[in-house]
Amino acid sequence: MISTFDLFKIGIGPSSSHTVGPMVAARRFRETVLARTGVARISAEIYGSLAWTGRGHGTDTAILLGLLGHAPATIDPDLTTSLSDALRRTGDLGIPGVHFEPERDLVFNFKDILPLHTNGMRFRAYDARDALLEDQIFYSIGGGFVVTAAEAEAASAGDAQAEPPLAFGSGRELLDLTLRTGLTIPQIQLANELTLRPREAVDAGLDAIRDAMFACIERGLRMDGELPGGLRVRRRAKRLHASLEATKLANSRPAHEIMDWISLYALAVNEENASGGRVVTAPTNGAAGIVPAVLRYTRDFCPDWNDERGRDFLLTAAAIGGLIKARASISGAEVGCQGEVGSAAAMAAAGLTAALGGSAFQIENAAEIAMEHHLGMTCDPIAGLVQVPCIERNAFGANKAVVAASLSLRGDGQHRVSLDEVIETMRQTGHDMQAKYKETSLGGLAVNVAAC
């Protein structure tokens, strides 16, 4: 089971796979070092997509912060630069006897790729005579999920795990469960969550995710100026918000203005993400604006909003996101942006349909429509920064999600292409996609648009 609280994780930008994951891995390795004696030096080496776009995604800074013992969910985003700069100056990790020199000990390997995933990291610990004491490989597999080589191999081998009471491994199985039990999709996801934590903790956790999403939007609406990284991309959310507020009292307003509000919410989140702010992986940072934008749209513009509808939205979105992650991928480095923005749009469409009272078959239809119309989308960020085309892409994904939900709610849930079929198509398309279009900044817009 992929829990709602694994899929939605509160962290920092700009990337779940390239920032959050490496910070988690580095922190895990720090714990290993703390448990040993005689360590005098450690090193970190990153491979594949992490190396190619690591500086633009803040991977180097994330590893430094993780080695210092910080976690994505609790670190103050405003302190990341000062903390990493201090480590670069002093080499002090706060581990007795261990010195770390980032220029020497943090290696970007642009040549090799580790065998199990393109987002590979290798951490080593040495004694005073430079003898190897520890050697650990981690993979950041998307959405902030991190596994060791042994964990990845065990998962690949299908090691047995305890199943939740209402387990489902496909969209078809999920629909069959609703027919057999009479439960809705959010009720099924909730029943599975209750095997991991009590109801009060589930509700509090869902509300915390919702509040973090909304807080990210609000902060994004207040901030102004250029985003970091050198592309000189200006924030737009604050100006767009002011423009929309100014037209509220106009006698004549176009009906499509609602699309501007949805786009605004998504832009606000992803501008925050690009600046390294506090965001929620949904299911990744690169696609973090879509679910919050549609959730905020549900709250502000749809009838009968309450906390329970918001929880149903998130539980339903997680059920769909878990299916996509298990049956294909949510990693742009593995399947392109169809796995990030496409997955987020499917999750948001399903969540909105559930919140508006749609049936299980309408929810599955909404998710399928949203995913189908992101198939083949490449991941080609200019200069390795999660800015162009990523920020606007979230606005389009959010609007597509609303369209998908609307189309499904106008229908009866019967449709020609199933969610399972479109997820499998996404997986195959990602497998066939050239590596240069999968979060390497070696193709597409990344090479055809000047980065300066």
Side-chain angles (χ1 to χ4, degrees), residues 222-243:
R222 297 193 304 270
M223 303 301 287
D224 207 351
E226 287 186 359
L227 296 172
L231 283 185
R232 308 207 67 182
V233 174
R234 291 191 62 195
R235 288 181 182 253
R236 285 180 287 176
K238 183 177 180 179
R239 286 177 287 123
L240 177 57
H241 186 226
S243 174

Side-chain angles (χ1 to χ4, degrees), residues 38-41 126-131:
V39 177
R41 182 174 73 87
Y126 305 86
D127 66 14
R129 296 183 178 181
D130 227 26

Side-chain angles (χ1 to χ4, degrees), residues 241-305:
H241 186 226
S243 174
L244 286 169
E245 287 289 344
T247 61
K248 272 188 173 180
L249 299 179
N251 290 328
S252 177
R253 295 156 60 192
H256 68 257
E257 182 183 289
I258 190 63
M259 297 171 63
D260 293 336
W261 283 99
I262 296 167
S263 297
L264 168 66
Y265 301 146
L267 292 174
V269 170
N270 283 84
E271 287 175 354
E272 277 297 286
N273 179 62
S275 67
R278 174 80 62 217
V279 297
V280 178
T281 61
T284 66
N285 282 31
I290 295 170
V291 170
V294 179
L295 184 61
R296 175 73 178 259
Y297 161 78
T298 311
R299 188 195 77 177
D300 290 359
F301 293 96
C302 296
D304 302 322
W305 166 268

Side-chain angles (χ1 to χ4, degrees), residues 4 25 47-48 53 144 227 243 254 264 289 300 350 354 366 385 407 446:
T4 302
Y47 302 80
T53 63
L227 296 172
S243 174
L264 168 66
D300 290 359
L385 298 168
L407 286 173

